[in-house]
Amino acid sequence: MPFELPALAYDFSALEPHIDARTMQVHHDGHHATYVANLNAAIDKHPELASRSVEQLLADLASVPDDIRTAVRNNGGGHFNHSIFWTVIGPQGGGEPSGAAATAITDAFSDYATFKAQLKAAALAQFGSGWAWAYLAQGKLTIKGFANQDNPISEGGVPVLGVDVWEHAYYLKYQNKRADYLDAWFNTINWNGVNQRLAG
Ligand code: MN3
């Protein structure tokens, strides 16, 4: 079964005015769809990998054959990162965390304001294309920037909440103002989606 582009659970315009509909459309139907197509093209060369999930592939890149390892890292990472991203943002998002997210954030960062400031700082500090991720490392919520489409799962982490800072995620509306995009993005966080990741 080839990898498939997951449907968005909301309309492209649902995150307006924070994230514009055109950006959402190009991001999902363009960029994410291309990662899926390129991942499938890579796996087609090694049918013995076809039974692996994208999580399994990324968690053990060393076992992926040399000739497709970079393609799987980049396009599998792109597929995995975006599949999470669409579920941890949504309409009527933002505000203070609830449930398991609130507990994990309080335990590791003492309060949400500190967590938010550190996630924003990591996202601003990521030079060029990449992500800032909040993820579980040895069970504790941790924040770090990742280049390109790398994901904490390849370091043994459990990805919880990531923000895409590739220019394609914001350039149409925010141009070079990554900080403005990030401030707006916090208003789209779907804490129910984050809590489902912590429960999984
Ligand atoms: Mn992206």
Side-chain angles (χ1 to χ4, degrees), residues 37-100:
N38 289 343
L39 175 61
N40 284 329
I43 299 301
D44 277 349
K45 296 176 187 168
H46 287 277
E48 73 275 15
L49 302 181
S51 63
R52 294 196 198 176
S53 67
V54 69
E55 292 94 332
Q56 289 171 327
L57 289 165
L58 295 171
D60 190 12
L61 282 167
S63 73
V64 174
D66 286 350
D67 62 315
I68 64 165
R69 187 176 303 132
T70 299
V72 168
R73 178 176 179 172
N74 291 337
N75 295 289
H79 175 40
F80 187 51
N81 283 330
H82 290 86
S83 295
I84 296 170
F85 189 60
W86 310 130
T87 68
V88 294
I89 57 177
Q92 285 90 51
E96 295 278 327
S98 57

Side-chain angles (χ1 to χ4, degrees), residues 68-170:
I68 64 165
R69 187 176 303 132
T70 299
V72 168
R73 178 176 179 172
N74 291 337
N75 295 289
H79 175 40
F80 187 51
N81 283 330
H82 290 86
S83 295
I84 296 170
F85 189 60
W86 310 130
T87 68
V88 294
I89 57 177
Q92 285 90 51
E96 295 278 327
S98 57
T103 303
I105 287 169
T106 303
D107 286 352
F109 297 90
S110 78
D111 56 42
Y112 177 57
T114 304
F115 170 86
K116 185 176 174 181
Q118 289 194 24
L119 187 59
K120 181 179 176 182
L124 284 172
Q126 180 57 44
F127 184 77
S129 296
W131 294 69
W133 277 100
Y135 61 103
L136 296 175
Q138 276 82 49
K140 187 174 183 184
L141 201 59
T142 303
I143 289 172
K144 197 174 77 171
F146 288 79
N148 301 314
Q149 296 295 355
D150 290 350
N151 183 285
I153 199 172
S154 300
E155 300 180 358
V158 177
V160 174
L161 174 64
V163 56
D164 189 344
V165 294
W166 283 58
E167 286 184 343
H168 67 228
Y170 62 89

Side-chain angles (χ1 to χ4, degrees), residues 16-41:
E16 296 267 12
H18 309 298
I19 303 176
D20 61 290
R22 180 69 178 143
T23 293
M24 289 296 295
Q25 182 181 23
V26 174
H27 203 171
H28 181 269
D29 290 2
H31 293 277
H32 190 170
T34 299
Y35 296 128
V36 172
N38 289 343
L39 175 61
N40 284 329

